[in-house]
Amino acid sequence: MIWNTRITKLTGIQYPIIMGAFVGLGRAEFAASFSNAGGLGILTAVNFKTTEEFQAEIDKMKKLTNKSYGVNFSIMPPEIRERTGRGRSEDSYLEFVDIAIDAGIKVFTTSAYKAAKIGKKLYDAGCYWFHKCATMKHALSAEKDGADAVTIVGLEGTGFKNPLQNSTLVNMTMARKLLKIPIIAAGGIGDARGFLAALAMGADAVCFGTAIIPTKESPASNSWKEALLKQDIFDEKFHKKIFQFRLKDSAIGSMAAGHCDEIISIKEFIDKIITNAEKILKGWGYQTNEFTTF
Ligand SMILES: Cc1cc2nc3c(=O)[nH]c(=O)nc-3n(C[C@H](O)[C@H](O)[C@H](O)COP(=O)(O)O)c2cc1C
């Protein structure tokens, strides 16, 4: 089946599936396997301290895939950066942005804090800027700043949490009404039903985070992968971490962990989402060979 959405059209990817950004994990082998399987792999720039290291990773990407991929710039909110001494500012990435543009990369994601300066640089270079945020207010503001798409992370998800965060259902159905630009669903999605549901709610693509940590290409440790497979998402402590903002800064999976039941390759993961989604569509009586959200 051909998958045709505003995001596949804009990026040229086969499926409306985007890799999350990952501090620690978002490196070339992982990202390239995602792109090679038909999604949009993402290199997470925060993992590279110097411009030389970043350039070397891009060179590695060139050897591993000829498909399109993106780069993420995660920006630490200034008050947290000042308090903890961790994370990076928007300005600290500007040279990295130039390197990636020069390398011919077309799609960029920013996250966690506003990134209008990077957005403007990308606009001037004819590239696409997708901003990821946790609230509708920030999504509206990214659209105003010129973002080409926004990813909104639902409360079921992990990463930066916000007391005003909504569920993926509220985010997508409302974003479809309030925003003109394409929207990407993230948060708690780990199987074909969640994927299709997000598209039905109005998403133009789905971003996977937790669900792809226990894959063969993911550089997460085996013990972390095993822990995700065993995670009881209905456990009270886990539930509180996710829904009552007790996540702190720990690298923990989200509610999507409920769908992690085997360690498979990225290709198997994406194929499984698509094959099962197509089966569900056929079961509903969908007969054409093209799925389109236009
Ligand atoms: C271990 C881990 C590290 C992450 N690191 C980042 C990061 O550096 N920048 C970012 O924008 N999001 C980060 N995220 C969030 C993901 O990119 C994605 O938005 C989120 O995982 C989506 O929710 P899900 O896990 O329910 O799929 C991270 C998520 C995990 C699980």
Side-chain angles (χ1 to χ4, degrees):
M1 192 177 274
I2 293 161
W3 290 78
N4 189 12
T5 74
R6 289 187 290 178
I7 290 291
T8 58
K9 199 166 172 206
L10 204 128
T11 58
I13 53 177
Q14 189 179 0
Y15 306 124
I17 293 184
I18 299 184
M19 178 177 174
F22 292 98
V23 62
L25 308 179
R27 294 176 170 272
E29 289 81 1
F30 195 18
S33 64
F34 205 89
S35 288
N36 287 336
L40 185 77
I42 299 288
L43 268 188
T44 305
V46 76
N47 296 322
F48 311 103
K49 286 200 180 71
T50 62
T51 49
E52 290 77 19
E53 268 182 57
F54 183 56
Q55 180 70 61
E57 203 71 4
I58 289 177
D59 294 343
K60 206 190 258 181
M61 271 314 263
K62 278 192 190 139
K63 291 192 186 120
L64 296 171
T65 185
N66 56 11
K67 299 272 170 61
S68 49
Y69 67 95
V71 171
N72 167 268
F73 300 107
S74 299
I75 300 164
M76 189 65 95
E79 62 282 6
I80 304 184
R81 199 158 34 87
E82 273 153 33
R83 183 161 39 83
T84 63
R86 289 177 41 222
R88 299 202 25 189
S89 67
E90 183 179 21
D91 284 348
S92 78
Y93 284 124
L94 296 179
E95 260 187 275
F96 283 51
V97 177
D98 291 333
I99 290 173
I101 292 172
D102 288 347
I105 296 164
K106 288 283 174 233
V107 185
F108 293 81
T109 70
T110 56
S111 47
Y113 195 69
K114 56 188 173 212
K117 219 187 270 182
I118 293 179
K120 169 78 173 54
K121 245 179 177 310
L122 298 174
Y123 176 82
D124 290 344
C127 297
Y128 296 115
W129 169 34
F130 299 176
H131 184 66
K132 186 170 69 179
C133 53
T135 68
M136 193 60 67
K137 185 176 139 197
H138 293 142
L140 287 163
S141 135
E143 180 177 67
K144 216 162 141 203
D145 285 342
D148 296 291
V150 279
T151 303
I152 313 181
V153 187
L155 192 51
E156 309 92 322
T158 184
F160 273 98
K161 305 290 270 189
N162 185 300
L164 296 181
Q165 211 165 354
N166 273 297
S167 64
T168 292
L169 183 142
V170 173
N171 286 339
M172 289 302 109
T173 53
M174 287 307 297
R176 196 61 191 225
K177 283 189 182 173
L178 300 174
L179 298 167
K180 288 187 189 68
I181 55 177
I183 52 175
I184 300 158
I189 305 171
D191 74 339
R193 289 192 183 281
F195 167 73
L196 266 188
L199 297 178
M201 286 181 223
D204 298 278
V206 171
C207 167
F208 289 96
T210 299
I212 58 162
I213 296 178
T215 52
K216 286 183 187 153
E217 295 87 347
S218 146
S221 65
N222 283 337
S223 55
W224 186 1
K225 292 180 187 179
E226 291 297 334
L228 275 172
L229 302 191
K230 283 194 209 120
Q231 182 63 54
D232 172 9
I233 63 163
F234 303 109
D235 170 71
E236 189 178 338
K237 262 198 200 146
F238 183 77
H239 192 276
K240 281 183 175 157
K241 279 185 181 167
I242 303 295
F243 287 110
Q244 296 178 21
F245 307 109
R246 301 198 190 156
L247 196 57
K248 297 275 179 344
D249 289 332
S250 59
I252 185 183
S254 70
M255 283 291 151
H259 298 291
C260 298
D261 37 31
E262 53 181 338
I263 296 175
I264 52 180
S265 69
I266 283 286
K267 181 165 172 24
E268 286 167 320
F269 175 83
I270 292 183
D271 284 351
K272 192 167 148 188
I273 296 281
I274 295 297
T275 309
N276 287 341
E278 290 179 0
K279 264 190 211 153
I280 294 167
L281 286 171
K282 292 222 166 76
W284 289 344
Y286 202 91
Q287 281 172 356
T288 58
N289 201 34
E290 179 179 355
F291 178 90
T292 174
T293 54
F294 281 102

